[in-house]
Amino acid sequence: VTVSTTADHFRDVYARVTGLGHPRVLPTLDAGVDAAVRYVVTARRPAETLADRLARDGQLPIPDAIALAVDVA
């Protein structure tokens, strides 16, 4: 596989994904190559914040609080 074939494939896949309009697929904003590393930029997925969850549910259960602390650490 040559570099140009891989780059062509990347551009082809990017063009196909860009055209998708599905609620479970993030829209693509940009794609390119930097220092021979190909990348795709997508829109940020909306997510619930910890403040949102605390406002909705109140105090976290101990296992959830521990899991969150481990993720942050």
Side-chain angles (χ1 to χ4, degrees):
V1 177
T2 65
V3 172
S4 65
T5 303
T6 304
D8 290 342
H9 177 72
F10 178 77
R11 281 191 293 275
D12 182 52
V13 170
Y14 173 72
R16 290 174 192 222
V17 171
T18 300
L20 292 177
H22 189 277
R24 299 226 183 253
V25 177
L26 291 173
T28 56
L29 304 176
D30 191 18
V33 179
D34 184 28
V37 175
R38 291 173 185 83
Y39 64 90
V40 175
V41 179
T42 64
R44 182 175 171 268
R45 183 180 69 92
E48 181 180 51
T49 66
L50 178 58
D52 294 337
R53 183 169 176 195
L54 291 172
R56 185 191 70 224
D57 298 337
Q59 185 175 352
L60 293 175
I62 298 295
D64 290 0
I66 291 170
L68 181 62
V70 168
D71 285 347
V72 172

